[in-house]
Short mmCIF file of all heavy atoms in Angstrom, two decimals:
data_model
loop_
_atom_site.label_atom_id
_atom_site.label_comp_id
_atom_site.label_asym_id
_atom_site.label_seq_id
_atom_site.Cartn_x
_atom_site.Cartn_y
_atom_site.Cartn_z
N ALA A 25 1.65 5.11 1.01
CA ALA A 25 1.30 6.04 2.02
C ALA A 25 0.34 7.17 1.47
O ALA A 25 0.39 7.55 0.33
CB ALA A 25 2.52 6.79 2.69
N LEU A 26 -0.57 7.57 2.37
CA LEU A 26 -1.48 8.67 2.07
C LEU A 26 -0.59 10.00 1.94
O LEU A 26 0.46 10.10 2.67
CB LEU A 26 -2.56 8.84 3.15
CG LEU A 26 -3.39 7.61 3.44
CD1 LEU A 26 -4.39 7.86 4.44
CD2 LEU A 26 -4.04 6.97 2.18
N THR A 27 -1.03 11.03 1.26
CA THR A 27 -0.27 12.19 0.90
C THR A 27 -0.67 13.29 1.84
O THR A 27 -1.79 13.72 1.82
CB THR A 27 -0.37 12.65 -0.52
OG1 THR A 27 0.15 11.58 -1.34
CG2 THR A 27 0.53 13.79 -0.71
N GLN A 28 0.14 13.75 2.70
CA GLN A 28 -0.03 14.88 3.52
C GLN A 28 1.04 16.03 3.29
O GLN A 28 2.14 15.62 2.78
CB GLN A 28 0.06 14.56 4.93
CG GLN A 28 -0.87 13.59 5.59
CD GLN A 28 -0.72 13.29 7.05
OE1 GLN A 28 -0.56 12.24 7.48
NE2 GLN A 28 -0.72 14.44 7.79
N PRO A 29 0.74 17.25 3.42
CA PRO A 29 1.83 18.30 3.22
C PRO A 29 2.69 18.10 4.41
O PRO A 29 2.42 17.76 5.55
CB PRO A 29 0.94 19.60 3.42
CG PRO A 29 -0.31 19.28 4.27
CD PRO A 29 -0.61 17.81 3.73
N PRO A 30 4.04 18.34 4.16
CA PRO A 30 4.99 18.01 5.19
C PRO A 30 4.98 19.00 6.36
O PRO A 30 5.33 18.73 7.49
CB PRO A 30 6.35 18.22 4.45
CG PRO A 30 6.02 18.87 3.21
CD PRO A 30 4.65 18.61 2.76
N SER A 31 4.41 20.19 6.10
CA SER A 31 4.31 21.22 7.12
C SER A 31 3.13 22.12 7.04
O SER A 31 2.47 22.17 5.92
CB SER A 31 5.62 22.14 7.14
OG SER A 31 5.67 22.85 5.86
N ALA A 32 2.68 22.73 8.10
CA ALA A 32 1.57 23.67 8.17
C ALA A 32 1.86 24.63 9.29
O ALA A 32 2.54 24.15 10.26
CB ALA A 32 0.20 22.93 8.29
N SER A 33 1.31 25.75 9.25
CA SER A 33 1.56 26.60 10.36
C SER A 33 0.44 27.61 10.55
O SER A 33 -0.36 27.79 9.53
CB SER A 33 2.81 27.40 10.15
OG SER A 33 2.79 28.25 8.94
N GLY A 34 0.33 28.22 11.63
CA GLY A 34 -0.67 29.30 11.88
C GLY A 34 -0.41 30.07 13.27
O GLY A 34 0.35 29.46 14.11
N SER A 35 -0.93 31.19 13.37
CA SER A 35 -0.73 31.88 14.63
C SER A 35 -1.76 31.55 15.64
O SER A 35 -2.91 31.06 15.29
CB SER A 35 -0.85 33.49 14.23
OG SER A 35 0.10 33.82 13.37
N PRO A 36 -1.54 31.82 16.82
CA PRO A 36 -2.43 31.54 17.94
C PRO A 36 -3.80 32.12 17.66
O PRO A 36 -3.87 33.25 17.21
CB PRO A 36 -1.78 32.11 19.21
CG PRO A 36 -0.28 32.02 18.84
CD PRO A 36 -0.10 32.35 17.51
N GLY A 37 -4.79 31.32 17.81
CA GLY A 37 -6.12 31.77 17.53
C GLY A 37 -6.62 31.58 16.13
O GLY A 37 -7.89 31.61 15.94
N GLN A 38 -5.76 31.44 15.21
CA GLN A 38 -6.06 31.08 13.85
C GLN A 38 -6.56 29.57 13.67
O GLN A 38 -6.36 28.81 14.53
CB GLN A 38 -4.97 31.39 12.90
CG GLN A 38 -4.69 32.90 12.64
CD GLN A 38 -3.63 33.12 11.68
OE1 GLN A 38 -2.79 32.32 11.39
NE2 GLN A 38 -3.64 34.32 11.09
N SER A 39 -7.07 29.38 12.41
CA SER A 39 -7.41 28.01 11.98
C SER A 39 -6.52 27.54 11.01
O SER A 39 -5.92 28.22 10.17
CB SER A 39 -8.87 27.91 11.50
OG SER A 39 -9.75 28.27 12.48
N VAL A 40 -6.14 26.19 11.06
CA VAL A 40 -5.28 25.60 10.01
C VAL A 40 -5.99 24.26 9.58
O VAL A 40 -6.51 23.57 10.40
CB VAL A 40 -3.87 25.47 10.58
CG1 VAL A 40 -3.89 24.50 11.63
CG2 VAL A 40 -2.95 24.93 9.43
N ALA A 41 -5.90 23.96 8.32
CA ALA A 41 -6.41 22.80 7.88
C ALA A 41 -5.23 21.84 7.13
O ALA A 41 -4.35 22.38 6.45
CB ALA A 41 -7.46 22.88 6.72
N ILE A 42 -5.27 20.57 7.49
CA ILE A 42 -4.20 19.66 6.95
C ILE A 42 -4.89 18.58 6.17
O ILE A 42 -5.94 17.94 6.57
CB ILE A 42 -3.56 19.03 8.16
CG1 ILE A 42 -2.78 19.95 9.01
CG2 ILE A 42 -2.53 17.93 7.58
CD1 ILE A 42 -2.31 19.39 10.26
N SER A 43 -4.57 18.46 4.88
CA SER A 43 -5.23 17.58 3.95
C SER A 43 -4.51 16.20 4.01
O SER A 43 -3.36 16.07 4.40
CB SER A 43 -5.07 18.10 2.58
OG SER A 43 -3.77 18.23 2.16
N CYS A 44 -5.25 15.26 3.46
CA CYS A 44 -4.71 13.83 3.41
C CYS A 44 -5.33 13.25 2.33
O CYS A 44 -6.62 12.96 2.26
CB CYS A 44 -5.16 13.12 4.75
SG CYS A 44 -4.92 11.27 4.79
N THR A 45 -4.54 12.86 1.25
CA THR A 45 -5.06 12.43 0.03
C THR A 45 -4.68 10.97 -0.31
O THR A 45 -3.57 10.59 -0.12
CB THR A 45 -4.62 13.25 -1.22
OG1 THR A 45 -5.02 14.60 -0.95
CG2 THR A 45 -5.15 12.83 -2.55
N GLY A 46 -5.70 10.18 -0.55
CA GLY A 46 -5.52 8.79 -0.81
C GLY A 46 -6.15 8.39 -2.22
O GLY A 46 -6.02 9.22 -3.12
N THR A 47 -6.67 7.24 -2.20
CA THR A 47 -7.40 6.73 -3.43
C THR A 47 -8.68 6.19 -3.10
O THR A 47 -9.15 6.20 -1.93
CB THR A 47 -6.45 5.61 -3.98
OG1 THR A 47 -6.53 4.37 -3.13
CG2 THR A 47 -4.96 6.08 -4.14
N SER A 48 -9.33 5.71 -4.04
CA SER A 48 -10.66 5.13 -3.85
C SER A 48 -10.58 3.81 -3.18
O SER A 48 -11.58 3.27 -2.71
CB SER A 48 -11.30 4.86 -5.18
OG SER A 48 -10.50 3.99 -6.08
N SER A 49 -9.34 3.22 -2.96
CA SER A 49 -9.14 2.04 -2.21
C SER A 49 -8.93 2.22 -0.74
O SER A 49 -8.96 1.31 0.01
CB SER A 49 -7.97 1.27 -2.80
OG SER A 49 -8.08 0.93 -4.15
N ASP A 50 -8.74 3.40 -0.33
CA ASP A 50 -8.63 3.68 1.08
C ASP A 50 -9.51 4.83 1.53
O ASP A 50 -10.65 4.66 1.82
CB ASP A 50 -7.21 3.89 1.46
CG ASP A 50 -6.30 4.62 0.34
OD1 ASP A 50 -6.64 5.87 0.14
OD2 ASP A 50 -5.40 4.14 -0.12
N VAL A 51 -8.95 6.07 1.48
CA VAL A 51 -9.74 7.24 1.98
C VAL A 51 -11.16 7.34 1.25
O VAL A 51 -12.13 7.50 1.90
CB VAL A 51 -8.97 8.56 1.67
CG1 VAL A 51 -9.80 9.85 2.14
CG2 VAL A 51 -7.74 8.56 2.59
N GLY A 52 -11.08 7.23 0.00
CA GLY A 52 -12.33 7.32 -0.74
C GLY A 52 -13.29 6.24 -0.72
O GLY A 52 -14.48 6.36 -1.00
N GLY A 53 -12.80 5.07 -0.24
CA GLY A 53 -13.66 3.80 -0.25
C GLY A 53 -14.33 3.57 1.05
O GLY A 53 -15.19 2.77 1.20
N TYR A 54 -13.79 4.20 2.15
CA TYR A 54 -14.37 3.94 3.43
C TYR A 54 -14.44 5.21 4.25
O TYR A 54 -13.61 6.19 4.20
CB TYR A 54 -13.35 2.92 4.20
CG TYR A 54 -13.11 1.72 3.51
CD1 TYR A 54 -11.95 1.55 2.66
CD2 TYR A 54 -13.84 0.55 3.63
CE1 TYR A 54 -11.68 0.41 2.02
CE2 TYR A 54 -13.52 -0.62 3.01
CZ TYR A 54 -12.51 -0.72 2.08
OH TYR A 54 -12.15 -1.95 1.39
N ASN A 55 -15.42 5.30 5.06
CA ASN A 55 -15.43 6.45 6.11
C ASN A 55 -14.78 5.98 7.32
O ASN A 55 -15.24 6.28 8.50
CB ASN A 55 -16.91 6.79 6.40
CG ASN A 55 -17.60 7.42 5.18
OD1 ASN A 55 -16.97 8.20 4.52
ND2 ASN A 55 -18.92 7.15 5.08
N TYR A 56 -13.55 5.55 7.17
CA TYR A 56 -12.71 5.07 8.32
C TYR A 56 -11.35 5.80 8.39
O TYR A 56 -10.35 5.17 8.53
CB TYR A 56 -12.53 3.60 8.34
CG TYR A 56 -13.81 2.70 8.32
CD1 TYR A 56 -13.91 1.63 7.50
CD2 TYR A 56 -14.87 3.05 9.18
CE1 TYR A 56 -15.10 0.89 7.56
CE2 TYR A 56 -16.03 2.35 9.24
CZ TYR A 56 -16.21 1.23 8.38
OH TYR A 56 -17.26 0.56 8.35
N VAL A 57 -11.49 7.05 8.28
CA VAL A 57 -10.34 7.95 8.40
C VAL A 57 -10.11 8.38 9.78
O VAL A 57 -11.04 8.85 10.53
CB VAL A 57 -10.35 9.20 7.51
CG1 VAL A 57 -9.19 10.05 7.64
CG2 VAL A 57 -10.45 8.73 6.01
N SER A 58 -8.98 8.25 10.32
CA SER A 58 -8.60 8.70 11.73
C SER A 58 -7.36 9.65 11.59
O SER A 58 -6.53 9.63 10.71
CB SER A 58 -8.30 7.59 12.64
OG SER A 58 -7.43 6.69 12.12
N TRP A 59 -7.21 10.53 12.65
CA TRP A 59 -6.10 11.49 12.83
C TRP A 59 -5.46 11.24 14.16
O TRP A 59 -6.16 11.14 15.13
CB TRP A 59 -6.62 12.81 12.60
CG TRP A 59 -7.11 13.21 11.20
CD1 TRP A 59 -8.30 13.05 10.68
CD2 TRP A 59 -6.26 13.74 10.17
NE1 TRP A 59 -8.30 13.52 9.41
CE2 TRP A 59 -7.05 13.95 9.11
CE3 TRP A 59 -4.96 14.18 10.07
CZ2 TRP A 59 -6.59 14.52 7.81
CZ3 TRP A 59 -4.51 14.73 8.89
CH2 TRP A 59 -5.26 14.87 7.83
N TYR A 60 -4.03 11.50 14.18
CA TYR A 60 -3.33 11.27 15.39
C TYR A 60 -2.45 12.48 15.44
O TYR A 60 -1.83 12.93 14.64
CB TYR A 60 -2.60 9.91 15.29
CG TYR A 60 -3.44 8.72 15.12
CD1 TYR A 60 -3.77 8.40 13.77
CD2 TYR A 60 -3.96 8.02 16.03
CE1 TYR A 60 -4.71 7.36 13.53
CE2 TYR A 60 -4.77 6.97 15.94
CZ TYR A 60 -5.18 6.68 14.53
OH TYR A 60 -6.13 5.61 14.46
N GLN A 61 -2.26 12.83 16.82
CA GLN A 61 -1.39 13.99 17.16
C GLN A 61 -0.24 13.18 17.82
O GLN A 61 -0.26 12.35 18.71
CB GLN A 61 -2.07 14.82 18.22
CG GLN A 61 -1.13 15.97 18.72
CD GLN A 61 -1.85 16.70 19.93
OE1 GLN A 61 -1.97 16.06 21.01
NE2 GLN A 61 -2.18 17.89 19.65
N HIS A 62 1.02 13.65 17.42
CA HIS A 62 2.27 13.03 17.99
C HIS A 62 3.25 14.03 18.38
O HIS A 62 3.86 14.70 17.51
CB HIS A 62 2.82 11.95 16.92
CG HIS A 62 3.95 11.13 17.44
ND1 HIS A 62 4.95 10.56 16.66
CD2 HIS A 62 4.10 10.81 18.81
CE1 HIS A 62 5.74 9.87 17.38
NE2 HIS A 62 5.31 10.02 18.73
N HIS A 63 3.31 14.07 19.58
CA HIS A 63 4.56 14.94 20.18
C HIS A 63 5.79 13.99 20.24
O HIS A 63 5.67 12.85 20.85
CB HIS A 63 4.25 15.42 21.55
CG HIS A 63 3.19 16.46 21.56
ND1 HIS A 63 1.84 16.33 21.95
CD2 HIS A 63 3.25 17.85 21.12
CE1 HIS A 63 1.22 17.47 21.78
NE2 HIS A 63 2.03 18.38 21.34
N PRO A 64 6.84 14.23 19.54
CA PRO A 64 8.09 13.48 19.56
C PRO A 64 8.44 12.88 20.98
O PRO A 64 8.52 13.76 21.93
CB PRO A 64 9.16 14.30 18.90
CG PRO A 64 8.48 15.33 18.11
CD PRO A 64 7.12 15.66 18.79
N GLY A 65 8.75 11.58 21.03
CA GLY A 65 9.07 10.97 22.23
C GLY A 65 7.95 10.58 23.12
O GLY A 65 8.07 9.94 24.12
#
Side-chain angles (χ1 to χ4, degrees):
Chain A
L26 308 176
T27 300
Q28 296 181 235
S31 63
S33 63
S35 299
Q38 288 186 331
S39 294
V40 63
I42 299 171
S43 62
C44 169
T45 301
T47 69
S48 58
S49 297
D50 38 63
V51 174
Y54 306 92
N55 286 325
Y56 300 139
V57 176
S58 51
W59 289 88
Y60 302 85
Q61 179 189 67
H62 189 203
H63 289 103

